[in-house]
Amino acid sequence: MNNAKCSILNQIPRRRTRIIQCIYVVGFMDLFAVSMIIPLLSHHVKALGASPTMAGLVGSTYGILQLFSSTIVGSWSDVVGRRYSMLMCLLLSALGYCLLGMSTSITLFLLARIPVGLFKHSLSICRALLSDLVSEVERPLVMGHFNVASSMGFILGPVVGGYLTEHEGGFYISSFTCAAIFLLNAGLVRLLPWSDALTLRTDANSDSSASNASCHDNDNHFTSTQQNCSQGNSNNQTTASAAAVTGSVAPEKNQRSWSWDLDWGEESLLPSAWRQLSSVGSKISSVASSDMWDLFLVRLLMAMAIMLYYSNFSLAMEERFMLKPKATGYLISYSSTLGALAGFLVGPITKLYGNKMSALLLHSSVVTCCLILLYAAASSVWHVLLSSTFIAISTTIGRTCITDLVLQKGGTHASGTLIGAGQSVTAVGRVLAPLLSGLAQEFSPCGPPILGVGLALAAVVLLLVRVPKWDGRGKRKDA
């Protein structure tokens, strides 16, 4: 009996690794499919006869819908569970891209963008699911690897999309291919071993004390006591994570709890839409009233700084250094590839900092601010190459740090809501950055990056003020 328990515990890491690897594949295929379409959208809108103003309005529809839907869908995934919400997002996104492949007018094109804008949140739900499956120590490493997988898909997708476009009806072929990939992703999510995902965080923690005792009879009593205490402290977080995976809602005071049965082979009583809506509203209000404004403000400032850095990159390279668009494209591809591979550095660097994510975020933000300043004051292409090399690494590390800190402060039981709120904050930056970039370019081609330096510097000052308070709260919590 004891040997059987030991063998089960030894299989848990392998089972969890298989689930995590499947999520990596979902992330890769998601951005691979999307990046096939993104470069072709503006050309297709113009081919349908849209004016530049109409094309801009149609193009902004997706960003506006994402701004309002990110937090709601993320919170909804906390309520009904990751599996159901991810399946619905993938299937409705596939419907949107299928409609896009049939769009022969501006009206149909606009209608096709609505389901995609509302439900294209599969990557956010993937990140929330990963945070449910791993511990706080493992989370930066796993998130870094997930970012690598999804970024590689974003790099390879335009190559395939460009190849398909060369054929007759290339846009429509790319759209239907994208829809097919989303359907394939939905099938992969449907086949994931969700029962294992539930037991990985519950059985491993609840039985580890007894199993460790039976597997290691010769361990001294002091070591066993330490392990039991540490496992006891993580039981609450484990229960919340398991609830998020399976879709059970944490019961409020004087309220009944309910759960969504995700085994479609069995009959279950579906919760009412009103109960789902009220649960989503309570989670969003709890995040809105929490003391995390500083983290979201840092995210907004740094996101806008980076967007301003890239906003007029090609035009500035041509005006400042007479660089051809082809050479600029190579430089952007080089920086994007480094940014994708930088995900592998997140785990080792986090260990080097002793998992002090606040200090790592502060240092990465300082480095990013200095690199944007170097680009703005660059006197040669080599200075731009140097800044592009390291800014890809610093921004990748910074994004992982800010996500991890939000999840640490907010708790994994609301990881979908927190990640969705972060995406909404980034969407605000996408709306504001082009406007600020256009105003800054009226003065100089270096205007946008100089403005980006100012925003990044404001984020650094805010971190210098708030990080000591975060660390103080963390010490009191540990005590």
Side-chain angles (χ1 to χ4, degrees), residues 1 27 41 66 68-69 87 108 114 128 190 198 229 240 254 291 296 310 319 361 383 393 395 414 423 469 474-475:
M1 181 69 179
L41 291 177
Q66 287 271 299
F68 293 103
S69 64
L87 280 173
L108 289 177
I114 292 176
R190 179 68 178 86
L198 170 64
C229 290
N254 300 326
D291 187 23
F296 288 123
Y310 287 109
E319 291 185 3
L361 175 62
H383 293 158
I393 300 173
T395 53
Q423 295 298 320
K469 297 183 179 180
K475 290 179 181 177

Side-chain angles (χ1 to χ4, degrees), residues 29-38 90 93-98 100 113 116 120 164 171-185:
M29 294 174 64
D30 188 292
L31 277 189
F32 175 80
V34 171
S35 61
M36 290 194 323
I37 296 296
I38 290 177
L90 289 171
S93 296
L95 173 64
Y97 286 112
C98 188
L100 192 65
R113 298 300 286 167
V116 177
K120 176 59 188 71
L164 294 175
F171 177 80
Y172 301 103
I173 296 173
S174 299
S175 298
F176 288 125
T177 303
C178 181
I181 292 175
F182 271 85
L183 290 175
L184 185 62
N185 254 355

Side-chain angles (χ1 to χ4, degrees), residues 160-212:
V160 178
Y163 173 76
L164 294 175
T165 308
E166 293 180 355
H167 299 78
E168 185 177 355
F171 177 80
Y172 301 103
I173 296 173
S174 299
S175 298
F176 288 125
T177 303
C178 181
I181 292 175
F182 271 85
L183 290 175
L184 185 62
N185 254 355
L188 179 59
V189 170
R190 179 68 178 86
L191 295 175
L192 280 177
W194 292 92
S195 59
D196 288 350
L198 170 64
T199 57
L200 288 178
R201 293 301 302 275
T202 54
D203 293 345
N205 286 277
S206 61
D207 296 338
S208 61
S209 298
S211 299
N212 283 338

Side-chain angles (χ1 to χ4, degrees), residues 127-449:
R127 291 188 176 94
L129 177 57
L130 289 174
S131 70
D132 296 335
L133 293 175
V134 300
S135 64
E136 285 190 6
V137 176
E138 298 172 307
R139 189 164 57 208
L141 177 65
V142 172
M143 289 294 186
H145 289 176
F146 178 78
N147 291 336
V148 171
S150 55
S151 298
M152 291 306 296
F154 196 81
I155 292 171
L156 296 176
V159 178
V160 178
Y163 173 76
L164 294 175
T165 308
E166 293 180 355
H167 299 78
E168 185 177 355
F171 177 80
Y172 301 103
I173 296 173
S174 299
S175 298
F176 288 125
T177 303
C178 181
I181 292 175
F182 271 85
L183 290 175
L184 185 62
N185 254 355
L188 179 59
V189 170
R190 179 68 178 86
L191 295 175
L192 280 177
W194 292 92
S195 59
D196 288 350
L198 170 64
T199 57
L200 288 178
R201 293 301 302 275
T202 54
D203 293 345
N205 286 277
S206 61
D207 296 338
S208 61
S209 298
S211 299
N212 283 338
S214 62
C215 294
H216 305 286
D217 291 332
N218 294 328
D219 285 355
N220 63 52
H221 177 72
F222 180 72
T223 304
S224 299
T225 303
Q226 281 186 321
Q227 292 173 343
N228 293 337
C229 290
S230 63
Q231 290 296 338
N233 290 334
S234 64
N235 279 342
N236 292 335
Q237 181 180 353
T238 299
T239 303
S241 300
V245 172
T246 56
S248 61
V249 177
E252 300 286 342
K253 200 171 184 179
N254 300 326
Q255 290 181 351
R256 291 171 54 192
S257 63
W258 56 272
S259 64
W260 189 298
D261 186 358
L262 289 176
D263 188 354
W264 290 2
E266 302 176 4
E267 293 190 14
S268 60
L269 182 63
L270 299 181
S272 65
W274 172 251
R275 191 165 291 179
Q276 288 187 41
L277 186 62
S278 62
S279 299
V280 169
S282 64
K283 284 183 176 291
I284 294 176
S285 62
S286 65
V287 171
S289 60
S290 64
D291 187 23
M292 288 192 291
W293 62 269
D294 44 10
L295 280 172
F296 288 123
L297 182 56
V298 168
R299 182 181 184 123
L300 176 63
L301 292 173
M302 292 305 300
M304 291 179 62
I306 296 164
M307 291 173 191
L308 288 169
Y309 171 85
Y310 287 109
S311 61
N312 69 330
F313 191 83
S314 299
L315 181 62
M317 288 295 97
E318 185 175 359
E319 291 185 3
R320 294 172 61 189
F321 306 109
M322 304 300 177
L323 206 63
K324 299 292 184 182
K326 184 177 180 180
T328 304
Y330 286 140
L331 183 59
I332 294 174
S333 298
Y334 164 75
S335 179
S336 301
T337 304
L338 281 180
L341 297 177
F344 289 118
L345 298 176
V346 173
I349 293 177
T350 302
K351 290 182 180 179
L352 183 64
Y353 273 76
N355 292 311
K356 295 179 180 178
M357 303 303 291
S358 55
L360 182 55
L361 175 62
L362 174 60
H363 294 165
S364 65
S365 300
V366 171
V367 171
T368 301
C369 181
C370 293
L371 290 172
I372 298 176
L373 179 61
L374 174 62
Y375 162 70
S379 57
S380 69
V381 177
W382 296 109
H383 293 158
V384 177
L385 180 63
L386 179 64
S387 65
S388 298
T389 299
F390 290 100
I391 200 170
I393 300 173
S394 64
T395 53
T396 299
I397 294 173
R399 282 195 299 267
T400 305
C401 288
I402 197 72
T403 301
D404 193 76
L405 282 170
V406 168
L407 292 174
Q408 282 183 22
K409 294 185 69 175
T412 54
H413 62 282
S415 56
T417 307
L418 294 168
I419 293 176
Q423 295 298 320
S424 294
V425 169
T426 304
V428 172
R430 291 195 186 101
V431 174
L432 296 178
L435 175 62
L436 294 177
S437 176
L439 293 175
Q441 287 182 70
E442 294 289 341
F443 300 95
S444 169
C446 298

